[in-house]
């Protein structure tokens, strides 16, 4: 069975500093990986996804993530954060052939400090 | 705006009661997913429907049931409610055409409070 581990429940970062949110997954088969963002009092919105091809994936709002199969990781990065990036970030995985019930990590709360 | 509509946005009820949450997917999306989000359990997949048929089942309690209607809207029924059922319930939809498109579009959720 697939699972996702987000190693940090909370990450405080100063504005304009770089940030990395960590995500590791476990699966016995090939996977598709996603990062979603949840702003306060809103639903989840897709930031980026890895399905195949280049291991470096670029998403919205300046975020990018790198798929590392040997380390079973899919860390999310942004070179310079803004106060508006304050939100909950979720890593998710699905195995093989479809978006059948994405398995989500517990989320990382990104706190931007002025 | 994701195009997924959930009602009601907020619901307060008592233990032992029954509630129905409603979801209208994005126009053209055939798949509907239900998730439960709570502080201790995080985001838990409950159930998926595709074009009216149950497609996948997750951690859904026997007290909970769902269905997808011919017009593709879906309802999640929660019965014999307990305090622990208090959570944010999300509906998501996606296109499914025999292969992965990957993205789920989420509604803003229905916040259920059981007193």
């Amino acid at each position: 069975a697939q699972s996702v581990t987000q190693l940090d429940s909370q990450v405080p970062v100063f504005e304009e500093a770089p940030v990395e949110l960590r995500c590791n997954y476990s699966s016995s088969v090939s996977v598709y990986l996603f990062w979603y963002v949840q702003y306060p009092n809103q639903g989840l919105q897709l930031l980026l996804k890895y399905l195949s091809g280049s291991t470096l994936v670029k998403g919205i709002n300046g975020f990018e993530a790198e798929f590392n199969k040997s380390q079973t990781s899919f860390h999310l990065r942004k070179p310079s954060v803004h106060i508006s990036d304050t939100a909950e970030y979720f890593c998710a995985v699905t195995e093989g052939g479809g978006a059948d019930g994405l398995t989500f990590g517990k989320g990382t709360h990104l706190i931007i400090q002025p | 705006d994701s195009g997924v509509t959930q009602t009601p946005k907020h619901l307060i009820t008592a233990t032992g009661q029954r509630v129905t949450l409603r979801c209208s997917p994005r126009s053209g999306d055939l798949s509907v997913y239900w998730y439960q989000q709570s502080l201790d359990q995080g985001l838990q997949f409950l159930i998926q429907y595709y074009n009216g048929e149950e497609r996948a089942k997750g951690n859904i309690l026997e007290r909970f049931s769902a269905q997808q209607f011919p017009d593709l809207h879906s309802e999640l029924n929660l019965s014999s409610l307990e305090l622990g059922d208090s959570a944010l319930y999300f509906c998501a939809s996606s296109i499914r055409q025999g292969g992965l498109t990957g993205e789920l579009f989420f509604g803003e959720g229905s916040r259920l409070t059981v007193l």
Side-chain angles (χ1 to χ4, degrees):
Chain A
Q2 63 207 23
S3 67
V4 176
T5 302
Q6 290 184 245
L7 298 166
D8 305 298
S9 60
Q10 197 165 284
V11 173
V13 181
F14 286 106
E15 196 169 11
E16 298 184 6
V19 69
E20 178 180 82
L21 306 184
R22 297 180 292 170
C23 172
N24 287 88
Y25 68 93
S26 71
S27 172
S28 57
V29 298
S30 62
V31 295
Y32 301 119
L33 294 154
F34 307 80
W35 275 99
Y36 281 81
V37 60
Q38 184 180 24
Y39 298 105
N41 300 314
Q42 293 188 25
L44 280 73
Q45 178 185 1
L46 183 71
L47 269 181
L48 48 78
K49 61 187 177 187
Y50 171 79
L51 304 182
S52 65
S54 172
T55 57
L56 184 61
V57 180
K58 293 191 184 297
I60 61 172
N61 301 340
F63 283 93
E64 62 181 32
E66 185 157 19
F67 171 59
N68 188 320
K69 188 174 181 180
S70 62
Q71 297 187 5
T72 61
S73 68
F74 191 55
H75 300 333
L76 181 71
R77 302 186 186 100
K78 186 169 182 178
S80 175
V81 295
H82 188 265
I83 200 82
S84 61
D85 292 323
T86 298
E88 194 82 17
Y89 291 80
F90 293 93
C91 182
V93 63
T94 187
E95 291 178 339
D100 294 334
L102 288 179
T103 298
F104 284 86
K106 288 193 176 295
T108 297
H109 188 198
L110 179 59
I111 302 167
I112 310 300
Q113 301 168 326
Chain B
D1 182 5
S2 68
V4 178
T5 304
Q6 289 187 247
T7 57
K9 291 196 185 311
H10 301 277
L11 191 55
I12 301 173
T13 189
T15 54
Q17 295 299 304
R18 182 180 192 274
V19 299
T20 297
L21 310 180
R22 183 188 167 101
C23 170
S24 293
R26 287 190 324 154
S27 177
D29 283 359
L30 300 178
S31 266
V32 169
Y33 308 75
W34 286 97
Y35 284 84
Q36 179 194 58
Q37 185 181 33
S38 60
L39 282 175
D40 54 343
Q41 294 292 324
L43 262 170
Q44 297 284 315
F45 168 64
L46 296 179
I47 197 163
Q48 180 207 352
Y49 280 82
Y50 172 67
N51 204 20
E53 301 288 327
E54 183 182 303
R55 180 71 172 83
K57 217 167 189 177
N59 300 319
I60 189 167
L61 299 172
E62 286 191 9
R63 300 184 286 108
F64 296 179
S65 64
Q67 56 184 324
Q68 187 180 28
F69 295 87
D71 66 353
L72 300 177
H73 91 271
S74 177
E75 292 182 356
L76 178 67
N77 300 297
L78 315 174
S79 61
S80 303
L81 285 168
E82 302 175 359
L83 296 177
D85 297 329
S86 295
L88 195 51
Y89 291 84
F90 282 110
C91 169
S93 72
S94 74
I95 297 171
R96 181 165 174 83
Q97 297 172 334
L100 176 69
T101 62
E103 182 169 1
L104 297 188
F105 295 87
F106 282 81
E108 294 193 354
S110 292
R111 183 171 295 281
L112 173 66
T113 303
V114 182
L115 300 176

